[in-house]
Amino acid sequence: MQDGMSNFDALQAVHSRPTWIEVDLDALGRNFGQLRARAGAYGAAAVMPIVKANAYGHGLVPCALHLARLGADALGVAFVEEGIALRQAGIHVPILVLGGLVGSQIDLFLDHQLDLTVSSIAKLDAVDAQAAKRGMRARVHLKIDTGMERIGVHDYSSAAFLERAARCSHCEIVGIYSHFACAKRADHHLTVTQLANFLAVTKRLEDLLGRRPLRHIASSGSLLAFPESSLDLVRPGVALYGVSPSRELDSILPLEPVLRLRSEVVYFKVVRAGSGVSYEHTWHAPRDTRVVTIPIGYGDGYMRRLSNRGHVLIRGERYPIVGTVCMDMLMVDIGDGTAYNGDEVVLIGAQGAERVLATELAELAETTPHEVGTALNHRLPRKYLGGG
Ligand SMILES: *Cc1c(COP(=O)(O)O)cnc(C)c1O
């Protein structure tokens, strides 16, 4: 058994279920190229692909390695353990941990040369002191809250924070950043206000430092809808994986879905008219119909919310999921269609001329496409294509 691999991973590698995720690294690379070109056209020199949450379900290390190889200037993760996993995989580009900093973790950041997000004077004090004690310089990005009310110092009361940052003896202020609350909507007054307020803060910091640290605020939604917000660096996540953050932004760039979720038909039956299907019988066959069973369920992260809503592809045809999605299986009504045990079933991605997009499933499940990908968990093996 390999280091870091659980027994389950090892078993999975040998006894692969007929259900797995295919990740097209070449498509990931092409999306990265398109986003880099778009940011570049608006003056941003640097791109920090966001690979948090297992690269939105696509696999943290393989995606990060590929993006680093293609020249990503930095990588962004949510938690320190994700950053450490990337260092252990041999990735050397700067890695920014976007999540909040917990005091006892400072040494981990310093041990692994991870860039810290710092969002209070007290935390700056702690980081500066710890770096001084170890005779090191900590790489820091300051977090400014311009309207998300998540983490960060409010732009309107950031003066003392900026002054403290400028006085740090053992921190390198690498960047300063903020995050849009309504980035998907180009017309949103809040987005314009957030950008203006953020720029005023960065100007003050620039004056204090006598140089310009990296200023960044744009994620996928704003890079597509409001590219003027690209500034010095962009932080695209979901768009890298070929998933538009919303349908309105679909047409801006020809992004390619990177993930394909596939399974196989494992059972075929005819359900008589009037018979109920699956738990609680939330669906009844309106007539005698052919129903097939697919071995994937909400225990894999295929959302139960897609019960009686989602569609799958079999033999290039689109068919509805009927009844509730179970933990390990779901049922599909193929009507008078044909399907045999062993036929491929596509739950996300293309088959023939048809495709099911994560954005479509997100709308049906009343969530974001981000959640559709990140929900797909560890029980699903990932197979990587391309990237050579
Ligand atoms: C997750 C995240 C991103 C990426 O967002 P997408 O909508 O996936 O592009 C960028 N910045 C921060 C701070 C984030 O938390």
Side-chain angles (χ1 to χ4, degrees), residues 50 52 56 98 143 150 177 179 219-220 235-238 370:
I50 304 299
K52 61 188 178 187
Y56 293 53
L98 301 161
K143 184 74 188 279
R150 192 165 64 174
Y177 75 105
H179 194 60
S219 56
S220 301
R235 307 188 306 261
V238 75
H370 302 67

Side-chain angles (χ1 to χ4, degrees), residues 103-274:
S104 63
Q105 294 177 339
I106 294 174
D107 276 325
L108 285 176
F109 280 86
L110 297 175
D111 290 345
H112 298 277
Q113 284 107 46
L114 299 171
D115 293 10
L116 293 121
T117 293
V118 177
S119 55
S120 73
I121 291 177
K123 285 179 179 177
L124 263 181
D125 288 340
V127 172
D128 205 32
Q130 193 59 21
K133 194 168 136 198
R134 294 182 52 169
M136 304 172 67
R137 274 165 78 78
R139 289 172 48 93
V140 165
H141 289 243
L142 306 177
K143 184 74 188 279
I144 303 298
D145 192 334
T146 54
M148 182 76 178
E149 301 294 354
R150 192 165 64 174
I151 57 172
V153 177
H154 285 133
D155 56 275
Y156 48 80
S157 53
S158 59
F161 179 55
L162 302 181
E163 277 157 28
R164 177 67 186 88
R167 280 190 286 104
C168 281
S169 56
H170 288 77
C171 293
E172 179 188 348
I173 308 301
V174 177
I176 178 166
Y177 75 105
S178 191
H179 194 60
F180 287 124
C182 308
K184 289 184 273 193
R185 295 179 45 199
D187 56 338
H188 209 285
H189 67 91
L190 181 65
T191 305
V192 176
T193 307
Q194 281 192 261
L195 180 61
N197 291 344
F198 177 60
L199 286 174
V201 174
T202 64
K203 178 73 179 61
R204 248 173 274 139
L205 180 64
E206 235 178 286
D207 292 344
L208 286 167
L209 294 177
R211 64 177 179 88
R212 172 182 286 181
L214 291 171
R215 304 161 306 161
H216 48 111
I217 191 168
S219 56
S220 301
S222 39
L223 178 54
L224 295 173
F226 187 40
E228 296 78 3
S229 65
S230 296
L231 305 184
D232 304 322
L233 177 147
V234 294
R235 307 188 306 261
V238 75
L240 270 175
Y241 307 101
V243 176
S244 167
S246 69
R247 280 217 196 218
E248 303 82 80
L249 301 177
D250 264 359
S251 55
I252 295 178
L253 286 181
L255 299 168
E256 300 170 52
V258 170
L259 177 150
R260 193 163 175 274
L261 174 59
R262 62 85 74 196
S263 186
E264 284 174 19
V265 173
V266 293
Y267 204 81
F268 173 100
K269 88 216 67 156
V270 173
V271 173
R272 284 191 190 155

